[in-house]
């Protein structure tokens, strides 16, 4: 399958450029000159936006690279011909124009790069494939990769080889304000074991520092890596205790890691289920709180819609300040599908969001969103997937907080899953309408279990009736539920300190 990478889109247009050392005509209105300062060969994970951030100082200048490369192609066919800036292929030769004195002048008809552009370019898997990693069982305690892998003698003169290889999934994010990338480092000491390690690499202005690692397990399957509230979340499959190593991993495990005060990678507890807001919850729906992540495009966006084989489809899209994007598709009662990718603001009220991973498979799901107050509406999207109605999401501006508990004197299994939903029950003669929800694994924690449900203030009506409903399950079996829910938000009902008591389902 072709290796194609999706670039971040901008409204900047640059017309005509010079190939390094040679002048040529470029037939386009308002043409202007630029120099080809160097060449670059595309590797896996590259996007024009990330390359523009790295070489030109702003991801919004991606079009300069596209134009320079196309101009170079006219006189030297070894350069790529870029028909679509959203698509790059591994091995393409690009022409990188000279950076304009550290500052860029935008054409009059466009908007300057926004403050929400990522501060550093995210690291690619190819970059991680040429970094050094601290690994406890490696000879000398570290290993340096070249082109994604390494092989060294276990001991001088030994026939046994220690091998290491970097692998997906890949994630970029921040921990305590510092940029990092995370991936999987697969190692072997020459025996039967194949060990999967979490590798977390400092992002030093677009270049990888020395990576830190933590062992996850032997011959496991890593499904997802994501940055979550100053932690790195790893979802993988392991075996049941006592199962043979030849058994296919099937037991879901989630672990969280962070960087401690000494700068070391350590395992930690799961963060709060959601962090939509650090602002105190308001007392009335009309005075909804503003998420701590800020206004503009960055933040959490919500939508709800009917689903053919589920109670509802709830979408939660998070656009992080660092340029990462996450989309959670919660098919209520059926499960959750999570997609990850990147985003960039391309004009004052326009942003491009592209998802490249959905759980463990590669995808190419691109959107152009228009911002109108607290509403995001897709102006470009795959109508074959989403139909004729443009996907629309609403800004999460408030949060309902509380606890879930039960009266029975029994403990929850470690893998118990808690789901809490905000539901509109205004019309008693119509099916309840799911508005938002959260889902999290307890990891051995017992009741009372804290929750925080984000909601879009623009969708809350003071005269309507809303409840919070909770369910607890494990291994696909419903253990507890609260079908009627607890009143929240309106008509004097609380939005914080909500206590939901669940009960075993009746047979």
């Amino acid at each position: 399958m072709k290796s194609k990478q999706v670039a971040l889109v901008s409204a900047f247009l640059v017309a005509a450029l010079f190939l390094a050392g040679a002048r040529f005509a470029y037939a386009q209105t308002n043409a202007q000159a630029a120099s080809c300062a160097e060449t670059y060969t595309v590797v896996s994970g590259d996007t024009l936006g990330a390359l523009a951030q790295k070489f030109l100082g702003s991801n919004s200048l991606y079009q300069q690279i596209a134009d320079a490369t196309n101009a170079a192609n006219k006189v030297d066919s070894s350069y790529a011909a870029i028909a679509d800036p959203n698509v790059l292929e591994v091995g393409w030769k690009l022409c990188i124009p000279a950076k304009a004195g550290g500052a860029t002048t935008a054409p009059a008809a466009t908007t300057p790069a926004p403050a929400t552009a990522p501060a550093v370019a995210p690291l690619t898997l190819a970059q991680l494939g040429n970094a050094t990693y601290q690994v406890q069982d490696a000879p000398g305690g570290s290993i340096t990769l070249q082109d994604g892998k390494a092989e060294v003698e276990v001991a001088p003169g030994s026939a046994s080889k220690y091998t290491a290889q970097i692998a997906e999934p890949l994630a970029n994010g921040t921990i305590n304000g510092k940029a990092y990338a995370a991936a999987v480092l697969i190692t072997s000491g020459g025996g039967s074991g194949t060990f999967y390690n979490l590798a977390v690499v400092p992002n030093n202005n677009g270049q990888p520092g020395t990576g830190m690692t933590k062992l996850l397990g032997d011959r496991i399957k890593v499904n997802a890596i994501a940055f979550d509230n100053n932690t790195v979340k790893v979802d993988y499959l392991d075996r049941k205790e006592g199962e043979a190593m030849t058994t296919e991993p099937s037991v879901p495990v989630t672990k969280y890691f962070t960087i401690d005060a000494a700068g070391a990678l350590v395992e930690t507890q799961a963060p709060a289920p959601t962090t939509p807001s650090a602002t105190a919850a308001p007392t009335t729906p009309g005075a909804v709180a503003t998420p701590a992540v800020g206004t503009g495009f960055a933040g959490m966006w919500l939508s709800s819609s009917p689903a053919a084989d589920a109670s509802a489809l709830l979408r939660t899209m998070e656009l992080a300040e660092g340029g990462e994007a996450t989309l959670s598709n919660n098919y209520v009662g059926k499960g959750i599908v999570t997609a990850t990718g990147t985003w960039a603001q391309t004009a004052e009220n326009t942003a491009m969001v592209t998802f490249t991973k959905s759980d463990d498979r590669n995808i190419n799901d691109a959107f152009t969103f228009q911002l109108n107050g607290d509403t995001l509406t897709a102006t470009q999207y795959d109508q074959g997937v989403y139909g004729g109605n443009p996907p629309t999401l609403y800004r999460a501006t408030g949060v309902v907080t509380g606890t879930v508990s039960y009266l029975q004197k029994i403990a929850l299994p470690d893998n118990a899953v808690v789901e809490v939903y905000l539901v509109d029950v205004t019309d008693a003669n119509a099916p309840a309408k799911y508005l938002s929800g959260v889902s999290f694994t307890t990891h051995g924690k017992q009741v009372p279990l804290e929750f925080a449900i984000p909601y879009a203030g623009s969708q809350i009506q003071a005269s309507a009736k809303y409840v919070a409903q909770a369910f607890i399950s494990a291994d696909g079996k419903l253990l507890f539920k609260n079908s009627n829910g607890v009143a929240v938000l309106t008509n004097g009902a609380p939005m914080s300190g909500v206590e939901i008591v669940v009960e075993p389902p009746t047979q």
Side-chain angles (χ1 to χ4, degrees), residues 175 198-200 212-214 232 257-260 263-267:
I175 299 177
L198 170 67
V200 178
M212 301 165 281
T213 63
K214 279 293 181 181
V232 181
F257 299 84
T258 192
I259 307 298
D260 66 10
L265 179 64
V266 295
E267 187 172 355

Side-chain angles (χ1 to χ4, degrees), residues 153-175:
E153 294 179 343
V154 172
S158 171
S160 298
K161 303 293 184 181
Y162 181 89
T163 63
Q165 179 176 350
I166 200 71
E168 292 184 319
L170 168 70
N172 281 271
T174 59
I175 299 177

Side-chain angles (χ1 to χ4, degrees), residues 8 23 31 74 119 144 246 275 277 303 311 320 337 369 380 480 493:
L8 306 176
R23 294 180 177 271
K74 291 181 178 295
T144 299
T246 55
T275 55
S277 172
S303 74
S311 298
V337 178
F369 282 107
Q380 295 182 25
F480 297 93

Side-chain angles (χ1 to χ4, degrees), residues 283-288 424 426 435 455-466 488-493 495:
T283 56
T284 62
V288 292
D424 184 341
T426 305
L435 297 180
Y455 67 87
S458 59
Q459 291 189 296
I460 301 300
Q461 304 297 322
S463 60
K465 181 179 180 181
Y466 304 94
V488 295
L489 289 179
T490 58
N491 304 308
M495 62 174 56

